[in-house]
Amino acid sequence: MSTHTAGHFTYADWRESPAGGQGAGPRLARASVTNSFAGGVEAADTTCEYTIVYVTEKTGTFTGLQLFAGRLDGREGAFTVEERGGFGEDGTVHGTFTVVPGSGTGELTGLRGTGGFTARHGEPSVPYTFDYELPG
C-alpha cells in the first residue's frame, strides 16, 4: 500500500557551469545544487547533480540524481532519486523523481516511490509530493 506525503524545499546553493555547445543551438550545462527539504521528507543540505540542456536561453530539460539523508515521515535513513523535468519561457520548472532501486538505507531500506514538484520563478519555497512504499 502506497503512502502519500508532501512538503516543500528551498535551494540552499546552485552552482552551474557550461558543459558544451555555444551560440544559437542547444547547449549543455552541469549544476551542483544543495536543497533543504521539510515536511514528509526532512533533509537539510541534500546533494544534487544535474545535467541541463538549454534549447533556448529560457527553455530546456534536465536530468539529475539527488541524495537525501535524514527522515521520511519519521523514519531515519538515506536514499537517492533520479529526477527529470523541463522549464519554459515563463520560468516554471516541472520535475518528477523516482527512487533509485536499492538506494534506501537504515529504516528506509527497500524504499520505492515517485514524486514531483512545480517551481515557479521567484518563489523561494517549492512544494513537492511523494508517494512511496516500504516493505513490511
Side-chain angles (χ1 to χ4, degrees):
M1 182 171 188
S2 183
T3 301
H4 178 81
T5 196
H8 68 276
F9 68 91
T10 56
Y11 295 102
D13 189 34
W14 183 287
R15 296 176 192 219
E16 188 172 319
S17 61
Q22 303 262 338
R27 64 184 174 86
L28 296 177
R30 291 184 195 96
S32 295
V33 181
T34 303
N35 295 313
S36 291
F37 279 74
V41 176
E42 297 175 32
D45 300 328
T46 65
T47 301
C48 184
E49 296 294 326
Y50 288 119
T51 300
I52 305 164
V53 177
Y54 287 94
V55 178
T56 71
E57 281 298 311
K58 295 183 179 181
T59 64
T61 63
F62 63 89
T63 61
L65 295 168
Q66 187 161 196
L67 174 62
F68 295 84
R71 296 180 185 274
L72 171 60
D73 287 336
R75 295 176 187 90
E76 195 163 340
F79 63 98
T80 302
V81 298
E82 179 180 3
E83 296 184 31
R84 294 184 175 278
F87 49 97
E89 286 286 333
D90 66 355
T92 301
V93 178
H94 298 280
T96 60
F97 55 88
T98 302
V99 174
V100 174
S103 69
T105 67
E107 294 178 295
L108 303 178
T109 299
L111 177 68
R112 297 180 308 188
T114 60
F117 62 90
T118 298
R120 291 181 172 66
H121 182 69
E123 292 183 4
S125 182
V126 178
Y128 69 85
T129 60
F130 184 36
D131 295 303
Y132 68 91
E133 295 179 18
L134 282 164

